[in-house]
């Protein structure tokens, strides 16, 4: 029986394993490696904080993920297939290492954030369009 995600160390195992899959992935790996040229020594500790906040409820993450991905989307348009692959690698990583309530909630929360992120990326200009085309 696998354990649940319960400590900072568990979150680090999850994040290291997930981004190792991401870096090797043919579809989304190049977005991180070639488009954003991610500095992993800087990115990984930030992601430990982020997922520790999401999964364990410990405050620690400071950042603006939506803004980061809006900017990324301007350089490289993020499509449903990219988000689907992100989710599928994340779910596979969780299932490989963990099981339990936190593990299953982590999948739900990450999927909700991914879906919200995709929605916001594609509706950023909705307000502007309303102003451009006012109802008569
Ligand atoms: C197609 C899907 C995605 C791609 C290609 C992607 C790519 C990236 C890249 C390139 C960065 C910037 C890294 C850097 O320069 O340091 C980043 C940051 C980040 N990503 Fe994603 N991401 C995706 C989906 C997600 C999802 C679904 C989540 C959350 C569940 C997430 C959470 C974050 C966070 C928290 C940061 C750090 C933001 C900050 O610095 O404030 N990403 N992502």
């Amino acid at each position: 029986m696998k354990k649940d995600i319960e400590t900072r160390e568990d979150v680090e195992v999850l994040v290291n394993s997930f981004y190792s899959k991401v870096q090797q992935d043919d579809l989304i790996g190049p977005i991180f490696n070639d488009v954003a040229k991610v500095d992993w020594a800087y990115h990984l500790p930030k992601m430990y904080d982020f997922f520790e906040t999401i999964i364990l409820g410990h405050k620690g993450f400071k950042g603006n993920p939506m803004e980061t991905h809006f900017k990324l989307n301007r350089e490289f348009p993020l499509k449903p297939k990219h988000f689907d692959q992100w989710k599928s690698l994340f779910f596979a990583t969780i299932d490989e290492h963990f099981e339990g309530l936190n593990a299953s909630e982590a999948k739900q929360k990450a999927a909700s954030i991914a879906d919200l992120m995709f929605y916001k990326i594609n509706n950023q200009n909705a307000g502007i369009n309303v102003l451009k085309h006012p109802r008569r």
Side-chain angles (χ1 to χ4, degrees), residues 18-19 22 28 31-33 35-40 42-44 46-47 50-51 54 61-69 72 76 78-87 90 109-115 117:
F18 173 58
Y19 284 105
V22 164
I28 63 171
I31 308 176
F32 288 81
N33 296 324
V35 179
K37 299 190 171 59
V38 170
D39 175 353
W40 292 100
Y42 172 76
H43 187 61
L44 290 177
K46 197 160 29 166
M47 301 316 290
F50 175 74
F51 282 108
I54 298 292
F61 176 74
K62 291 193 183 64
N64 188 342
M66 292 300 167
E67 195 49 53
T68 304
H69 297 83
L72 178 61
F76 185 98
L78 299 171
K79 305 284 183 207
K81 64 179 178 184
H82 301 119
F83 282 93
D84 287 347
Q85 187 66 355
W86 190 103
K87 285 187 275 188
F90 190 78
K109 287 176 187 169
S112 303
I113 298 171
D115 294 347
M117 204 177 255

Side-chain angles (χ1 to χ4, degrees), residues 11-58:
V11 172
E12 292 183 9
V13 167
L14 166 66
V15 168
N16 289 341
S17 171
F18 173 58
Y19 284 105
S20 142
K21 286 188 179 43
V22 164
Q23 284 183 69
Q24 291 163 43
D25 186 75
D26 287 345
L27 183 64
I28 63 171
I31 308 176
F32 288 81
N33 296 324
D34 305 332
V35 179
K37 299 190 171 59
V38 170
D39 175 353
W40 292 100
Y42 172 76
H43 187 61
L44 290 177
K46 197 160 29 166
M47 301 316 290
Y48 302 152
D49 290 346
F50 175 74
F51 282 108
E52 196 183 0
T53 300
I54 298 292
I55 301 169
L56 302 179
H58 302 168

